[in-house]
Amino acid sequence: MLNKHCFEALDRSLNDIMKTQFTHGYDIPFGGKVVVLGGDFRQILPVISKGSRSEIVGSAINSSYLWKHCKCKEPLLELVNFAYPKLAHNLQKNSFFQERAILAPTLECVEEINNFMLGMIPGDETEYLSCDTPWKSDEDSGVNAEWFTFEFLNDFKCSGFPNHAIKLKAGVPIMLIRNIDQAAGLCNGTRMIVNALTKYIIVATVLNGNNMGETTFIPRMSLTPSNSDISFKFQRRQFPVALCFAMTINKSQGQSLSHVGLYLPRPVFTHGQLYVALSRVKSRKGLKMLIIDDEGVVSNTTRNVVYQEVFDNI
């Protein structure tokens, strides 16, 4: 909650040090460095000795030319605190994660929340990198496997397929995204808590299903994308899991939860998706929504997608 002139002085100094004006022909905020601002405008504002109300408000950082470059994370943090209150104190309680989740419409939104929450968890982070191998193309396919570099394959992401890089910590919730052993209840959608992370095995406790509470060992698997729209084939050897503080709305179908945070940085995009999300929670008090409009402002309305013609002959 410093005076905006302090931030503006730092901005000019970093631009001089980084020579951004010479390199880019214009100044960029803080010389291209990431700056994290902490505080709450509802509590403490900059102190201006004998200053008027307008002088105090005008000295705050959101009155500066820098504010247009800032992104406020407070609404998302409030949603996280609702779905996972006192997270650090409840990490060792498996029951804490059994009936809690944040839902979002797309994989990009889910990944944003999961990465945000992983940073809130104490402890060392373990990163698992996949081994991606292009398939030898059939003679009639017209696709040359040599066109696909490892960098290109590593960047590939799709639903039901693990990322090239998976970052985990002990105590975080994960979800299986492929069937491993259906008889043992290790199916696509099974949620678990990480107990230990080793080089070749993830040790986890099952959170839902008939095998709830059992310890299981998850190996790496050789997987291929199941998306039929992809014109090429490759194999990724990786753990078939994903962080699941948050999950897509579609992935949550069939689950009954006591606390649901619904994150909508954009409206739902298909019929019934909003209905599915709202139906996951057992009571109204267990639901909190964060809706962002097209201008990036928190809103209290969103669009529901309904294909009305499907009801014509009912």
Side-chain angles (χ1 to χ4, degrees):
M1 310 316 294
L2 295 173
N3 192 299
K4 69 178 182 181
H5 297 308
C6 299
F7 296 104
E8 292 172 355
L10 175 62
D11 171 61
R12 290 190 294 271
S13 297
L14 287 176
N15 272 293
D16 288 341
I17 293 170
M18 302 306 299
K19 298 182 173 59
T20 50
Q21 190 169 27
F22 175 79
T23 304
H24 300 281
Y26 58 89
D27 291 344
I28 60 176
F30 300 109
K33 300 299 181 183
V34 176
V35 175
V36 180
L37 309 180
D40 188 343
F41 292 113
R42 294 168 296 189
Q43 297 182 32
I44 305 298
L45 294 177
V47 176
I48 305 296
S49 180
K50 299 182 180 179
S52 65
R53 179 171 179 168
S54 61
E55 288 175 326
I56 294 173
V57 172
S59 67
I61 180 63
N62 60 348
S63 297
S64 170
Y65 64 85
L66 290 166
W67 187 248
K68 64 182 179 182
H69 301 290
C70 297
K71 295 182 179 180
C72 184
K73 290 295 185 181
E74 182 184 358
L76 180 56
L77 188 53
E78 288 183 358
L79 189 71
V80 168
N81 288 334
F82 171 81
Y84 297 100
K86 299 180 181 179
L87 178 61
H89 298 286
N90 290 291
L91 278 177
Q92 306 303 321
K93 302 176 183 178
N94 291 350
S95 58
F96 178 73
F97 294 98
Q98 286 175 351
E99 295 191 344
R100 301 174 182 273
I102 296 176
L103 308 183
T106 64
L107 285 173
E108 290 77 13
C109 300
V110 166
E111 200 164 298
E112 175 190 353
I113 298 171
N114 282 329
N115 290 337
F116 175 75
M117 295 198 64
L118 185 65
M120 299 173 60
I121 304 299
D124 296 330
E125 182 179 279
T126 300
E127 183 177 35
Y128 294 106
L129 302 179
S130 70
C131 177
D132 296 344
T133 308
W135 281 17
K136 292 183 179 180
S137 301
D138 297 332
E139 293 181 0
D140 299 330
S141 67
V143 179
N144 189 340
E146 295 179 356
W147 296 347
F148 304 107
T149 63
F150 291 113
E151 290 79 9
F152 172 82
L153 297 178
N154 292 166
D155 288 338
F156 181 85
K157 296 180 181 180
C158 74
S159 178
F161 196 63
N163 289 344
H164 164 64
I166 298 177
K167 297 179 180 180
L168 300 173
K169 293 180 180 179
V172 302
I174 58 174
M175 175 183 285
L176 282 177
I177 56 176
R178 289 292 178 94
N179 292 334
I180 295 182
D181 187 347
Q182 291 180 311
L186 301 178
C187 307
N188 184 2
T190 299
R191 294 193 297 154
M192 298 171 285
I193 289 291
V194 172
N195 296 334
L197 299 166
T198 70
K199 186 175 182 180
Y200 301 107
I201 293 291
I202 295 176
V203 184
T205 299
V206 178
L207 282 181
N208 60 325
N210 296 330
N211 293 46
M212 184 174 63
E214 292 189 5
T215 300
T216 187
F217 303 90
I218 307 169
R220 292 181 188 264
M221 298 175 63
S222 296
L223 307 166
T224 57
S226 56
N227 193 331
S228 59
D229 295 332
I230 302 171
S231 59
F232 63 93
K233 294 182 180 180
F234 76 101
Q235 186 178 80
R236 172 168 291 173
R237 187 163 183 80
Q238 179 60 291
F239 292 102
V241 301
L243 267 174
C244 77
F245 289 106
M247 68 182 85
T248 60
I249 293 172
N250 293 344
K251 202 74 173 180
S252 71
Q253 292 189 70
Q255 301 200 38
S256 182
L257 306 168
S258 61
H259 287 75
V260 171
L262 181 56
Y263 180 47
L264 296 175
R266 59 181 67 89
V268 296
F269 56 86
T270 189
H271 173 90
Q273 202 173 36
L274 185 60
Y275 174 84
V276 169
L278 298 178
S279 300
R280 295 313 97 211
V281 66
K282 297 177 180 179
S283 65
R284 183 176 178 178
K285 66 179 181 180
L287 175 69
K288 186 178 181 67
M289 301 175 66
L290 173 57
I291 303 170
I292 310 295
D293 64 20
D294 294 337
E295 297 180 355
V297 178
V298 176
S299 174
N300 59 3
T301 60
T302 188
R303 185 174 71 248
N304 185 26
V305 178
V306 178
Y307 300 158
Q308 295 184 358
E309 59 270 25
V310 78
F311 302 107
D312 289 346
N313 62 348
I314 294 179

